[in-house]
CSV table of all heavy atoms in Angstrom, one decimal:
chain,number,residue,atom,x,y,z
R,10,LEU,N,11.9,-48.5,-2.0
R,10,LEU,CA,11.1,-48.4,-3.3
R,10,LEU,C,10.0,-47.4,-3.2
R,10,LEU,O,9.8,-46.6,-4.1
R,10,LEU,CB,10.6,-49.7,-3.8
R,10,LEU,CG,11.7,-50.8,-4.1
R,10,LEU,CD1,11.1,-52.1,-4.4
R,10,LEU,CD2,12.4,-50.4,-5.4
R,11,ALA,N,9.2,-47.4,-2.1
R,11,ALA,CA,8.2,-46.5,-2.0
R,11,ALA,C,8.7,-45.0,-1.9
R,11,ALA,O,8.1,-44.2,-2.5
R,11,ALA,CB,7.4,-46.8,-0.7
R,12,SER,N,9.8,-44.8,-1.2
R,12,SER,CA,10.3,-43.5,-1.2
R,12,SER,C,10.9,-43.0,-2.6
R,12,SER,O,10.6,-41.8,-2.9
R,12,SER,CB,11.5,-43.5,-0.2
R,12,SER,OG,12.2,-42.2,-0.2
R,13,ALA,N,11.4,-43.9,-3.3
R,13,ALA,CA,11.9,-43.6,-4.6
R,13,ALA,C,10.8,-43.1,-5.5
R,13,ALA,O,11.0,-42.3,-6.4
R,13,ALA,CB,12.6,-44.8,-5.3
R,14,PHE,N,9.6,-43.7,-5.3
R,14,PHE,CA,8.5,-43.3,-6.1
R,14,PHE,C,7.5,-42.3,-5.5
R,14,PHE,O,6.4,-42.1,-5.9
R,14,PHE,CB,7.7,-44.6,-6.5
R,14,PHE,CG,8.4,-45.5,-7.5
R,14,PHE,CD1,9.1,-46.5,-7.1
R,14,PHE,CD2,8.4,-45.1,-8.9
R,14,PHE,CE1,9.8,-47.3,-8.0
R,14,PHE,CE2,9.1,-46.0,-9.8
R,14,PHE,CZ,9.7,-47.1,-9.4
R,15,ASN,N,8.0,-41.7,-4.4
R,15,ASN,CA,7.3,-40.7,-3.6
R,15,ASN,C,5.9,-41.2,-3.2
R,15,ASN,O,4.9,-40.5,-3.2
R,15,ASN,CB,7.1,-39.4,-4.5
R,15,ASN,CG,8.4,-38.6,-4.7
R,15,ASN,OD1,9.2,-38.6,-3.7
R,15,ASN,ND2,8.6,-38.0,-5.8
R,16,ALA,N,5.8,-42.5,-2.8
R,16,ALA,CA,4.6,-43.1,-2.3
R,16,ALA,C,4.5,-43.1,-0.9
R,16,ALA,O,5.6,-42.9,-0.1
R,16,ALA,CB,4.5,-44.5,-2.9
R,17,ASP,N,3.4,-43.2,-0.3
R,17,ASP,CA,3.2,-43.2,1.1
R,17,ASP,C,3.8,-44.5,1.7
R,17,ASP,O,3.9,-45.5,1.0
R,17,ASP,CB,1.7,-43.2,1.5
R,17,ASP,CG,1.0,-41.9,1.2
R,17,ASP,OD1,1.7,-40.9,1.1
R,17,ASP,OD2,-0.2,-41.9,1.1
R,18,LEU,N,4.3,-44.3,2.9
R,18,LEU,CA,5.0,-45.5,3.6
R,18,LEU,C,4.2,-46.3,4.4
R,18,LEU,O,4.6,-47.5,4.7
R,18,LEU,CB,6.2,-45.0,4.4
R,18,LEU,CG,7.2,-44.0,3.7
R,18,LEU,CD1,8.3,-43.6,4.6
R,18,LEU,CD2,7.8,-44.7,2.4
R,19,GLY,N,3.0,-45.8,4.8
R,19,GLY,CA,2.2,-46.6,5.7
R,19,GLY,C,1.7,-47.9,5.2
R,19,GLY,O,1.9,-49.0,5.9
R,20,LEU,N,1.0,-47.8,4.1
R,20,LEU,CA,0.3,-49.0,3.5
R,20,LEU,C,1.4,-50.1,3.3
R,20,LEU,O,1.1,-51.3,3.6
R,20,LEU,CB,-0.5,-48.7,2.3
R,20,LEU,CG,-1.3,-49.8,1.7
R,20,LEU,CD1,-2.3,-50.4,2.7
R,20,LEU,CD2,-2.1,-49.4,0.5
R,21,PRO,N,2.5,-49.8,2.6
R,21,PRO,CA,3.5,-50.9,2.3
R,21,PRO,C,3.9,-51.5,3.6
R,21,PRO,O,4.2,-52.7,3.7
R,21,PRO,CB,4.6,-50.2,1.6
R,21,PRO,CG,4.0,-48.9,1.0
R,21,PRO,CD,2.9,-48.5,2.0
R,22,THR,N,4.2,-50.7,4.7
R,22,THR,CA,4.7,-51.2,5.9
R,22,THR,C,3.6,-52.2,6.6
R,22,THR,O,3.9,-53.2,7.1
R,22,THR,CB,5.1,-50.1,6.9
R,22,THR,OG1,5.9,-49.2,6.2
R,22,THR,CG2,5.7,-50.7,8.2
R,23,PHE,N,2.4,-51.7,6.6
R,23,PHE,CA,1.2,-52.4,7.1
R,23,PHE,C,1.1,-53.8,6.4
R,23,PHE,O,1.0,-54.9,7.1
R,23,PHE,CB,0.0,-51.6,6.9
R,23,PHE,CG,-1.3,-52.2,7.3
R,23,PHE,CD1,-1.7,-52.3,8.7
R,23,PHE,CD2,-2.1,-52.9,6.4
R,23,PHE,CE1,-2.9,-52.9,9.0
R,23,PHE,CE2,-3.3,-53.5,6.8
R,23,PHE,CZ,-3.7,-53.5,8.1
R,24,VAL,N,1.1,-53.8,5.1
R,24,VAL,CA,1.0,-55.0,4.3
R,24,VAL,C,2.2,-56.0,4.5
R,24,VAL,O,2.0,-57.1,4.8
R,24,VAL,CB,0.9,-54.7,2.8
R,24,VAL,CG1,1.0,-56.0,2.0
R,24,VAL,CG2,-0.4,-54.0,2.5
R,25,ALA,N,3.4,-55.4,4.6
R,25,ALA,CA,4.6,-56.2,4.9
R,25,ALA,C,4.5,-56.9,6.3
R,25,ALA,O,4.8,-58.1,6.4
R,25,ALA,CB,5.9,-55.3,4.8
R,26,GLY,N,4.1,-56.1,7.2
R,26,GLY,CA,4.0,-56.6,8.6
R,26,GLY,C,2.9,-57.8,8.7
R,26,GLY,O,3.2,-58.8,9.3
R,27,LEU,N,1.7,-57.5,8.2
R,27,LEU,CA,0.7,-58.5,8.3
R,27,LEU,C,1.0,-59.8,7.4
R,27,LEU,O,0.7,-60.9,7.7
R,27,LEU,CB,-0.6,-57.9,7.8
R,27,LEU,CG,-1.2,-56.9,8.8
R,27,LEU,CD1,-2.7,-56.5,8.3
R,27,LEU,CD2,-1.2,-57.2,10.2
R,28,ALA,N,1.7,-59.5,6.2
R,28,ALA,CA,2.0,-60.6,5.3
R,28,ALA,C,3.0,-61.6,6.0
R,28,ALA,O,3.0,-62.8,5.9
R,28,ALA,CB,2.6,-60.1,4.0
R,29,THR,N,4.0,-61.0,6.7
R,29,THR,CA,5.0,-61.7,7.4
R,29,THR,C,4.4,-62.5,8.6
R,29,THR,O,4.7,-63.7,8.7
R,29,THR,CB,6.1,-60.7,8.0
R,29,THR,OG1,6.7,-60.0,7.0
R,29,THR,CG2,7.2,-61.6,8.8
R,30,ALA,N,3.5,-61.9,9.3
R,30,ALA,CA,2.7,-62.6,10.4
R,30,ALA,C,2.0,-63.7,9.8
R,30,ALA,O,2.0,-64.8,10.4
R,30,ALA,CB,1.9,-61.6,11.2
R,31,ALA,N,1.2,-63.4,8.7
R,31,ALA,CA,0.4,-64.5,8.1
R,31,ALA,C,1.2,-65.6,7.7
R,31,ALA,O,0.8,-66.8,7.9
R,31,ALA,CB,-0.5,-63.9,7.0
R,32,GLY,N,2.3,-65.4,7.0
R,32,GLY,CA,3.2,-66.4,6.5
R,32,GLY,C,3.7,-67.3,7.6
R,32,GLY,O,3.7,-68.6,7.4
R,33,ILE,N,4.1,-66.7,8.6
R,33,ILE,CA,4.7,-67.5,9.8
R,33,ILE,C,3.7,-68.3,10.5
R,33,ILE,O,3.9,-69.5,10.8
R,33,ILE,CB,5.5,-66.5,10.8
R,33,ILE,CG1,6.7,-66.0,10.1
R,33,ILE,CG2,5.8,-67.2,12.1
R,33,ILE,CD1,7.3,-64.8,11.0
R,34,HIS,N,2.5,-67.7,10.7
R,34,HIS,CA,1.5,-68.5,11.5
R,34,HIS,C,0.8,-69.5,10.7
R,34,HIS,O,0.4,-70.6,11.1
R,34,HIS,CB,0.5,-67.5,12.0
R,34,HIS,CG,0.9,-66.6,13.1
R,34,HIS,ND1,1.4,-65.4,13.0
R,34,HIS,CD2,1.1,-66.9,14.5
R,34,HIS,CE1,1.8,-64.9,14.2
R,34,HIS,NE2,1.7,-65.8,15.1
R,35,LEU,N,0.7,-69.4,9.4
R,35,LEU,CA,0.2,-70.4,8.4
R,35,LEU,C,1.2,-71.6,8.4
R,35,LEU,O,0.9,-72.7,8.4
R,35,LEU,CB,0.0,-69.9,7.0
R,35,LEU,CG,-1.3,-69.0,6.9
R,35,LEU,CD1,-1.4,-68.4,5.5
R,35,LEU,CD2,-2.6,-69.8,7.2
R,36,ARG,N,2.5,-71.2,8.3
R,36,ARG,CA,3.5,-72.2,8.3
R,36,ARG,C,3.6,-73.0,9.6
R,36,ARG,O,3.8,-74.2,9.6
R,36,ARG,CB,4.9,-71.5,8.0
R,36,ARG,CG,6.1,-72.5,7.9
R,36,ARG,CD,7.4,-71.8,7.8
R,36,ARG,NE,8.6,-72.7,7.8
R,36,ARG,CZ,9.1,-73.2,6.8
R,36,ARG,NH1,8.6,-72.9,5.6
R,36,ARG,NH2,10.2,-74.0,6.9
R,37,GLN,N,3.5,-72.3,10.7
R,37,GLN,CA,3.5,-73.0,12.0
R,37,GLN,C,2.1,-73.5,12.4
R,37,GLN,O,2.1,-74.3,13.4
R,37,GLN,CB,4.1,-72.1,13.1
R,37,GLN,CG,5.6,-71.6,12.8
R,37,GLN,CD,6.0,-70.6,13.8
R,37,GLN,OE1,5.3,-70.1,14.6
R,37,GLN,NE2,7.3,-70.5,13.8
R,38,ARG,N,1.1,-73.1,11.8
R,38,ARG,CA,-0.3,-73.6,12.0
R,38,ARG,C,-0.6,-73.2,13.5
R,38,ARG,O,-1.1,-74.1,14.3
R,38,ARG,CB,-0.4,-75.1,11.8
R,38,ARG,CG,-0.2,-75.5,10.3
R,38,ARG,CD,-0.5,-76.9,10.1
R,38,ARG,NE,-0.3,-77.3,8.8
R,38,ARG,CZ,-0.5,-78.5,8.3
R,38,ARG,NH1,-0.8,-79.5,9.0
R,38,ARG,NH2,-0.3,-78.8,6.9
R,39,ILE,N,-0.4,-72.0,13.8
R,39,ILE,CA,-0.8,-71.5,15.2
R,39,ILE,C,-1.5,-70.2,15.1
R,39,ILE,O,-1.5,-69.6,14.0
R,39,ILE,CB,0.5,-71.2,16.1
R,39,ILE,CG1,1.4,-70.2,15.3
R,39,ILE,CG2,1.3,-72.5,16.4
R,39,ILE,CD1,2.6,-69.8,16.2
R,40,SER,N,-2.2,-69.9,16.1
R,40,SER,CA,-3.2,-68.6,16.0
R,40,SER,C,-2.2,-67.4,16.2
R,40,SER,O,-1.2,-67.3,16.9
R,40,SER,CB,-4.1,-68.7,17.2
R,40,SER,OG,-4.7,-67.5,17.4
R,41,PRO,N,-2.6,-66.4,15.4
R,41,PRO,CA,-1.9,-65.1,15.5
R,41,PRO,C,-2.3,-64.3,16.7
R,41,PRO,O,-1.7,-63.2,16.9
R,41,PRO,CB,-2.3,-64.4,14.1
R,41,PRO,CG,-3.7,-64.9,13.9
R,41,PRO,CD,-3.7,-66.3,14.3
R,42,MET,N,-3.3,-64.7,17.4
R,42,MET,CA,-3.9,-63.9,18.5
R,42,MET,C,-2.8,-63.5,19.6
R,42,MET,O,-2.8,-62.4,20.1
R,42,MET,CB,-5.0,-64.6,19.2
R,42,MET,CG,-6.3,-64.6,18.3
R,42,MET,SD,-6.7,-63.1,17.6
R,42,MET,CE,-7.1,-62.1,19.1
């Protein structure tokens, strides 16, 4: 989608990676460290 709208790819990837990590660690109630 970012490519289709000629948007930068870095920020969407960064947000997707951190959101996935946050979702998993909140669900499992473990530290992301």
Side-chain angles (χ1 to χ4, degrees):
L10 291 173
S12 175
F14 289 98
N15 289 324
D17 290 339
L18 305 182
L20 184 58
T22 308
F23 176 80
V24 171
L27 292 193
T29 302
I33 291 173
H34 287 97
L35 285 173
R36 180 186 174 93
Q37 297 179 343
R38 297 183 179 181
I39 58 175
S40 170
M42 289 311 297

